[in-house]
Amino acid sequence: MKNKYIFYVFVLLLSLPVITFPFIKGHIDSKNHEKRKFAERPSLSLATLPDFPEQFDNYFSDHLPYKNQLVMVNGIKNELLGSGATAIEYLTNTKAIRGKENWLFYNAVSEDEESMRDFLCNNLYEENELSEISKRYVLLEQKLKEMGIELVVLYAANKEQVYPEYMPSTIVPMGSYSRTDQLVDYLHEHTDVPLIYTKEALQKEKENHQVFYKYDTHWNNLGGFVGCQLLNEYFHGEYVSLDEVSYSAVKDDESGDLADLLSMRKILNDDIVWEINSYKTDVKEETVRNDDNAFEFVSNAEDKRKVLVVQDSFGYALMGITKDFAEVTFLKNTEVFKKYCEEWKPDILLVEIVERRKRPQEQICQGLYDLLVSGE
């Protein structure tokens, strides 16, 4: 009889989370913080039977009751024990990698992104792959030149390339020459496409200034300023370092998207948001458009050329280039790219791509070219 009671209690404990979660989930953190769409409930039929077990496992894992709370408890446990990410966590595609001194890193693993493989330097290109990628860059450059538009490409370095000292000691690179290093060298050697890679400048500036958020995938406003200055150096021959400007803290309780992935936003929230104060204070900017398609800025900057920016999420920290150019538009999507090129008539197209986005690095120039020639 005693064993029977133990069995009933055991079943009840297993069932309790599933039973209670529908009533509680509206009052606790049950959001999707993983930057992807969760698996949908699979349907069971003879046709779907072979794939049903795996599909249901993916669905159950994504919609596990109290998932965020379990992730948070595991994170707190690791914080208390002072343990960083393990090699097993990396290999099992854990999205947020816990580094030293509470620094977090993004383990991007998808068809588009390979941040940890970039760090490990185990995903170098073959010669024929580099040749094909370079042709796409040249194709876009030539088309834009016909339209009177200058192409410039900027690669925003991955966080772990700039702060490798905070990566877990269990994750050791196979070398120091990365896929992006290889691609940059090849494009510089075999094409005339202007290409700026922010890694070395950020590594230099980080010695005295924090250029990435601790708990987020992105560079902060100081890192974005470095990117802006690399563009300023290319176009105007002048680079202003962070040592030459003043900046102040506007927030001291910042968390980030990587903390969200660990459900620890309320715990890891002591980072600082910085704001540049003393760069070209005589230049005044104005937002003239902010809708689903674009941000448009005008200013009294000396350079009157129009700059059109195609960017990912790292591009928002580059909005400081409005201090250097009088008209700048940041596109939120490429659906209006052709229209802006033909009607707004930019002088410069800036394509910004974060390093981890492997497929866009390889394909975006072809995609933009295809948009320009569509309908011809």
Side-chain angles (χ1 to χ4, degrees):
M1 182 64 70
K2 181 180 179 180
N3 289 339
K4 185 181 293 186
Y5 284 130
I6 293 175
F7 173 76
Y8 289 150
V9 171
F10 179 71
V11 172
L12 178 63
L13 290 174
L14 286 179
S15 306
L16 200 59
V18 178
I19 295 170
T20 60
F21 186 67
F23 302 99
I24 295 177
K25 68 178 182 179
H27 304 283
I28 61 175
D29 178 18
S30 55
K31 295 180 181 179
N32 174 7
H33 299 300
E34 297 189 24
K35 297 186 177 183
R36 64 179 178 87
K37 185 178 180 181
F38 278 171
E40 298 179 355
R41 184 193 296 270
S43 59
L44 180 60
S45 66
L46 288 175
T48 62
L49 188 58
D51 298 322
F52 182 82
E54 180 180 356
Q55 292 176 351
F56 185 82
D57 182 63
N58 292 335
Y59 166 78
F60 186 78
S61 296
D62 281 349
H63 300 273
L64 182 70
Y66 303 102
K67 177 179 180 177
N68 289 346
Q69 286 67 41
L70 292 170
V71 171
M72 180 180 67
V73 169
N74 183 63
I76 293 173
K77 180 264 295 182
N78 289 325
E79 290 301 317
L80 292 174
L81 294 177
S83 59
T86 66
I88 290 177
E89 286 179 307
Y90 159 64
L91 292 171
T92 54
N93 296 342
T94 298
K95 293 294 184 181
I97 295 293
R98 292 172 292 108
K100 300 170 184 174
E101 299 184 23
N102 285 337
W103 279 70
L104 302 180
F105 298 88
Y106 187 37
N107 183 19
V109 181
S110 70
E111 293 182 353
D112 289 342
E113 300 182 317
E114 292 188 346
S115 59
M116 283 300 117
R117 292 195 68 194
D118 286 339
F119 177 70
L120 293 173
C121 300
N122 66 354
N123 59 345
L124 297 182
Y125 290 110
E126 299 293 337
E127 179 76 16
N128 64 308
E129 293 176 307
L130 291 166
S131 177
E132 288 302 313
I133 294 169
S134 68
K135 291 176 183 177
R136 298 168 194 147
Y137 279 70
V138 172
L139 193 65
L140 177 63
E141 181 192 36
Q142 291 175 343
K143 179 61 180 177
L144 289 169
K145 190 174 294 184
E146 293 174 7
M147 302 173 70
I149 303 172
E150 179 182 358
L151 172 65
V152 176
V153 179
L154 183 141
Y155 290 164
N158 289 341
K159 181 178 181 179
E160 52 276 1
Q161 302 288 17
V162 179
Y163 286 101
E165 65 271 26
Y166 292 123
M167 284 291 288
S169 56
T170 53
I171 301 177
V172 181
M174 297 174 61
S176 59
Y177 191 61
S178 72
R179 176 186 61 81
T180 299
D181 289 327
Q182 182 190 27
L183 182 56
V184 169
D185 287 347
Y186 190 91
L187 290 172
H188 280 162
E189 183 177 350
H190 293 87
T191 78
D192 295 322
V193 176
L195 176 59
I196 299 169
Y197 181 29
T198 64
K199 183 173 72 171
E200 289 187 4
L202 289 169
Q203 288 175 337
K204 181 179 180 180
E205 294 280 11
K206 75 162 186 185
E207 298 301 323
N208 297 315
H209 314 275
Q210 183 181 325
V211 294
F212 271 80
Y213 291 109
K214 289 178 65 176
Y215 311 130
D216 199 280
T217 58
H218 298 91
W219 52 7
N220 58 20
N221 291 332
L222 304 187
F225 182 80
V226 174
C228 290
Q229 288 308 304
L230 289 173
L231 292 168
N232 188 34
E233 182 178 41
Y234 174 77
F235 286 109
H236 306 123
E238 178 186 23
Y239 179 91
V240 178
S241 74
L242 286 169
D243 290 335
E244 300 175 77
V245 296
S246 63
Y247 54 85
S248 58
V250 295
K251 189 178 179 183
D252 62 3
D253 59 351
E254 184 73 357
S255 187
D257 54 9
L258 294 173
D260 281 336
L261 290 176
L262 296 175
S263 297
M264 296 183 70
R265 175 171 282 272
K266 294 183 179 181
I267 298 171
L268 301 176
N269 60 357
D270 59 353
D271 206 359
I272 297 175
V273 177
W274 301 103
E275 183 177 85
I276 302 289
N277 297 325
S278 62
Y279 181 69
K280 294 188 177 180
T281 55
D282 58 318
V283 176
K284 307 301 179 184
E285 310 105 299
E286 178 185 356
T287 304
V288 295
R289 178 176 182 177
N290 180 6
D291 56 25
D292 291 340
N293 292 321
F295 287 109
E296 291 185 15
F297 301 93
V298 296
S299 73
N300 60 329
E302 184 176 342
D303 193 328
K304 304 304 179 184
R305 285 178 291 180
K306 295 181 177 181
V307 182
L308 181 64
V309 184
V310 173
Q311 98 278 351
D312 51 37
S313 59
F314 272 64
Y316 294 109
L318 293 176
M319 289 185 176
I321 63 170
T322 54
K323 292 282 190 178
D324 299 309
F325 292 94
E327 294 186 65
V328 184
T329 293
F330 289 79
L331 293 186
K332 296 182 181 179
N333 63 71
T334 56
E335 293 176 6
V336 293
F337 171 68
K338 181 178 181 179
K339 179 180 179 181
Y340 266 88
C341 287
E342 293 179 342
E343 298 180 9
W344 193 61
K345 300 185 184 301
D347 301 289
I348 299 164
L349 173 66
L350 170 62
V351 178
E352 177 275 319
I353 315 167
V354 64
E355 177 179 358
R356 69 172 182 255
R357 301 190 70 217
K358 180 175 181 288
R359 179 172 290 185
Q361 276 186 333
E362 299 167 355
Q363 300 287 346
I364 191 170
C365 286
Q366 181 69 57
L368 295 176
Y369 172 83
D370 291 342
L371 288 171
L372 289 176
V373 300
S374 61
E376 289 187 357

